[in-house]
Amino acid sequence: KMMTRNGLVGKFVLAPARTFIPAAARQGQVLGNKFGRQNTFNCLPATGTRAYHADFKPVVSGTPETLEYKMFFEDLHGSKMSPWHDIPLFPPRAPGLLNFVVEIPRGTRAKLECGVKETGNPIIQDTKKGKLRYYGIDPVFNYGFFPQTWEDPNVKHPDANCVGDGDPIDVVEVGGKVLATGDVITVKPLGVLCMIDDGEADWKVLAIDSADPMAESMNDINDLEKMMPGKVSEVREWFRSYKTHEGKPLNSFGLDEKAMDR
């Protein structure tokens, strides 16, 4: 079973899902004291009566697809907040669901990511040697991260046999809607793939927007395969090959390349 701070999220057959999400949530909170969080940030509650999705908004600085582009987050009083450390992982009164911050909309190639070492953790476009980075193929999903989580680069996971990548846990949202950068969406986790990238575990949680028409009937990987045949394979092969356009080798996967079923 996958345990969270608020109880059971769901049942998984294999071990990692019950261990890496709560551990990553604890490490993400600790890391907030080192990167990103400022004394002026208002930390949002994980439970309660606040309509938290309306309590903050993205604010863009600079032009998209330039080195100056940054998407910050502010609360209703205009105080900066970190999308990584201050947005709650668990939505109130929604057992089985988690909050997901969108970085990259489906079908777009700009490699946007949470600036984990920048003050305020804005969403920025990744660079290499001073140049903006782009994917060589269109993502076939909406992509982002779970707030308040962290894949610890100092701990070797027994099922992956490698350490974490030092980033928040990645989310692959497979619903029918193209989401927008900066959206905070409540999703239903369905399962997880363990991608191995440069010797580090880079978990990919497959999930669906809880507002998607298919979400009510989709609870696990088996349901995903039934309702969207071939989707798991499509996601896995995208992650396997997406770096080859840069001349890099194919990525590999742990756990016999299987998506752990919920």
Side-chain angles (χ1 to χ4, degrees), residues 67 126-133:
L67 295 173
D126 190 22
T127 61
K128 184 176 182 180
K129 297 182 179 180
K131 294 183 178 181
L132 297 171
R133 297 186 68 190

Side-chain angles (χ1 to χ4, degrees), residues 2-35:
M2 181 169 70
M3 295 296 296
T4 72
R5 291 177 298 175
N6 289 1
L8 295 177
V9 169
K11 296 180 179 179
F12 281 75
V13 175
L14 301 177
R18 74 164 180 261
T19 58
F20 80 84
I21 286 184
R26 290 192 297 271
Q27 291 294 341
Q29 290 179 318
V30 171
L31 200 64
N33 297 324
K34 184 176 181 182
F35 294 122

Side-chain angles (χ1 to χ4, degrees), residues 18-251:
R18 74 164 180 261
T19 58
F20 80 84
I21 286 184
R26 290 192 297 271
Q27 291 294 341
Q29 290 179 318
V30 171
L31 200 64
N33 297 324
K34 184 176 181 182
F35 294 122
R37 179 171 289 159
Q38 299 177 346
N39 293 333
T40 57
F41 288 171
N42 295 320
C43 299
L44 303 182
T47 59
T49 59
R50 293 185 65 174
Y52 55 90
H53 282 195
D55 282 353
F56 49 81
K57 61 180 181 180
V59 178
V60 173
S61 173
T63 303
E65 299 190 48
T66 68
L67 295 173
E68 292 73 31
Y69 171 81
K70 294 184 179 183
M71 179 180 281
F72 293 94
F73 285 71
E74 293 182 353
D75 65 16
L76 295 183
H77 304 288
S79 296
K80 285 186 178 180
M81 54 184 294
S82 164
W84 185 16
H85 300 303
D86 297 320
I87 292 175
L89 174 60
F90 302 100
R93 303 178 305 280
L97 304 181
L98 299 172
N99 286 329
F100 152 57
V101 181
V102 181
E103 296 167 316
I104 303 170
R106 187 177 72 231
T108 63
R109 296 194 182 191
K111 193 175 185 300
L112 301 174
E113 62 182 20
C114 177
V116 297
K117 293 186 178 181
E118 295 207 11
T119 299
N121 309 123
I123 295 175
I124 59 176
Q125 187 164 348
D126 190 22
T127 61
K128 184 176 182 180
K129 297 182 179 180
K131 294 183 178 181
L132 297 171
R133 297 186 68 190
Y134 293 86
Y135 292 118
I137 51 177
D138 292 342
V140 293
F141 42 76
N142 297 295
Y143 194 51
F145 65 94
F146 283 137
Q148 300 193 33
T149 64
W150 187 52
E151 297 189 52
D152 195 333
N154 301 306
V155 175
K156 179 178 286 189
H157 198 286
D159 291 289
N161 197 35
C162 53
V163 299
D165 67 356
D167 290 325
I169 292 176
D170 294 326
V171 181
V172 174
E173 196 281 323
V174 297
K177 184 179 178 180
V178 177
L179 304 175
T181 301
D183 281 351
V184 179
I185 303 296
T186 301
V187 296
K188 179 187 289 187
L190 304 173
V192 65
L193 287 165
C194 180
M195 189 180 86
I196 309 298
D197 185 3
D198 291 331
E200 297 175 333
D202 192 359
W203 298 92
K204 309 296 183 185
V205 176
L206 287 84
I208 188 167
D209 182 351
S210 62
D212 190 281
M214 295 184 291
E216 186 174 353
S217 302
M218 196 178 292
N219 297 295
D220 53 32
I221 293 296
N222 289 331
D223 291 337
L224 175 58
E225 290 282 34
K226 290 176 183 177
M227 300 181 71
M228 302 179 71
K231 191 64 178 182
V232 174
S233 178
E234 181 184 34
V235 169
R236 182 173 48 238
E237 296 312 307
W238 190 94
F239 279 112
R240 190 193 306 279
S241 63
Y242 79 97
K243 287 188 175 182
T244 57
H245 81 283
E246 297 178 334
K248 295 184 178 181
L250 295 171
N251 286 319

